[in-house]
Amino acid sequence: MLVETALVTLLVRPFSCRVIDSAGPKPALVYGLTGCALGGLLMLLATLWPALPLLSLLALVLSRLVLGAAHSVLGASAIAWGIGQVGSAGTARVISWNGIASYGAIALGAPLGVWLVERYGLPWMGASVLLIALCGLALAWRKVGVPVVAGGRLGFMSVLGRVSPYGLTMALGTLGYGTIAAFITLYYDSRGWSWAAYAMTAFGLSFIAARLLFAQAIDRLGGYRVGIACLLVEGGGLLLLWAAPGPLSAMLGAGLSGFGFSLVFPALGVEAVKSTPASNRGAAIGAYSLFLDLALGVAGPLIGPLIGLLIGSHGFRSIFLVCALASFLGLGLTLALQYRSTRQPSEAETALATVEVD
């Protein structure tokens, strides 16, 4: 079910990005929250028809698809809205704070959902999604929107081509996070260690601390420099996880990985947004975020069999070595992108000469 949701998110991205740039971030966010409310309502209805299993299943599937479509517009519109309010100089901080809010919601929502179902029953899951979306709509409705940026609109595929080097690099850095989240408990169990949950806690706390303390470093030093440093730290943390002789050193490796991964997305995101004109900001953010969806949602089922073969032949620790190599490959790509940026003018400066109007 999660794969289908991720696929819908990917498919709807081009349309949602067009809405953000043409109608504005606030209307796009309202559309997304409305979709979340509808998804929650369908989920609630699915639990109220136990005597009609096929109808319940249909409502549940539709709920996931609607939520996937809504997700495709929410993150990008919120970031575009924030940048429109504080200016392009605050891009790094807007992306960082949006990430803290998103990951915080995931961390809070998972245990809250389990508690609601255990305490009050499954209908409350859909009801809570509906109520939270309605609260979000009420908050968004009272906020002042930002003007639509005038200018030519690049086609989505053109924007995707411009941001894809940054997105691919970010996706390589994201593999470490996905692997730690999926396999850290199994890795600890395979080594006969305790405290696996604390390794994930170390990752999360380091992630939040880095974003709170060092997000402004992107504005001072630039996205490339921060991205290089972060991928280096993340790769080192993953190597420590691979070579860890005990649970405490593995926990330290997880913490270093979280610290490094924390600013990869905003650091490279700043450079990705710079690669297109301001009038295509929503499309740039959406296309860049598409690579995060691929790394976390679709790539898992596609490379799962390969991971299984790797674990079967070399054990769980081997996957952390592969992810460390992926981080260092991302580091090399970032160095190449930095070198390219010093050799040619910004894409944003020359884009209007070759605009492909939708």
Side-chain angles (χ1 to χ4, degrees):
M1 190 75 74
L2 290 176
V3 178
E4 288 81 355
T5 303
L7 285 173
V8 171
T9 299
L10 292 173
L11 292 173
V12 177
R13 282 268 184 215
F15 172 74
S16 63
C17 292
R18 190 176 298 114
V19 171
I20 295 170
D21 287 329
S22 59
K26 179 178 178 178
L29 185 68
V30 170
Y31 298 152
L33 288 170
T34 302
C36 286
L38 178 58
L41 178 60
L42 288 168
M43 191 184 304
L44 175 60
L45 292 175
T47 64
L48 299 179
W49 298 328
L52 301 170
L54 290 178
L55 192 58
S56 295
L57 179 60
L58 177 61
L60 184 59
V61 171
L62 286 175
S63 168
R64 298 301 302 178
L65 296 180
V66 170
L67 287 172
H71 175 72
S72 73
V73 71
L74 280 177
S77 59
I79 292 173
W81 194 353
I83 295 173
Q85 286 189 322
V86 303
S88 58
T91 298
R93 280 170 287 173
V94 171
I95 296 177
S96 296
W97 278 102
N98 182 80
I100 292 174
S102 299
Y103 285 106
I106 292 171
L108 179 63
L112 180 60
V114 172
W115 178 80
L116 279 173
V117 172
E118 291 179 348
R119 183 70 180 270
Y120 298 105
L122 195 57
W124 274 92
M125 177 68 74
S128 65
V129 174
L130 173 60
L131 291 173
I132 291 172
L134 291 176
C135 289
L137 278 169
L139 289 173
W141 204 265
R142 300 174 60 185
K143 297 290 184 180
V144 178
V146 294
V148 175
V149 180
R153 310 291 182 201
L154 294 170
F156 181 78
M157 294 307 296
S158 179
V159 174
L160 182 62
R162 293 171 185 268
V163 305
S164 58
Y166 309 96
L168 177 59
T169 304
M170 179 268 296
L172 288 170
T174 303
L175 290 178
Y177 161 66
T179 299
I180 291 174
F183 294 107
I184 192 65
T185 300
L186 296 173
Y187 174 54
Y188 265 63
D189 287 343
S190 70
R191 304 293 296 272
W193 297 339
S194 301
W195 309 336
Y198 292 106
M200 201 62 209
T201 300
F203 181 97
L205 291 177
S206 298
F207 178 96
I208 294 173
R211 286 214 168 178
L212 290 175
L213 296 175
F214 297 106
Q216 294 185 357
I218 300 174
D219 296 327
R220 297 196 307 270
L221 303 176
Y224 291 121
R225 290 181 179 178
V226 174
I228 289 167
C230 287
L231 286 166
L232 183 62
V233 172
E234 182 185 5
L238 289 164
L239 282 179
L240 182 55
L241 263 172
W242 167 67
L248 292 179
S249 54
M251 193 182 305
L252 177 60
L256 285 173
S257 299
F259 194 89
F261 170 67
S262 177
L263 293 178
V264 171
F265 186 93
L268 296 175
V270 166
E271 302 300 335
V273 171
K274 288 180 182 178
S275 70
T276 63
S279 56
N280 294 269
R281 181 183 293 151
I285 297 168
Y288 177 68
S289 300
L290 182 148
F291 288 88
L292 182 64
D293 298 332
L294 284 171
L296 295 179
V298 179
L302 294 180
I303 66 175
L306 296 177
I307 293 176
L309 291 174
L310 183 64
I311 292 173
S313 57
H314 295 92
F316 282 100
R317 65 196 298 262
S318 61
I319 57 176
F320 297 112
L321 176 60
V322 171
C323 289
L325 295 176
S327 292
F328 292 134
L329 177 58
L331 171 62
L333 289 175
T334 307
L335 287 168
L337 289 170
Q338 183 186 40
Y339 176 77
R340 188 185 71 171
S341 72
T342 65
R343 303 285 296 179
Q344 63 184 35
S346 159
E347 292 288 353
E349 294 174 359
T350 59
L352 290 180
T354 57
V355 167
E356 300 169 14
V357 179
D358 286 336

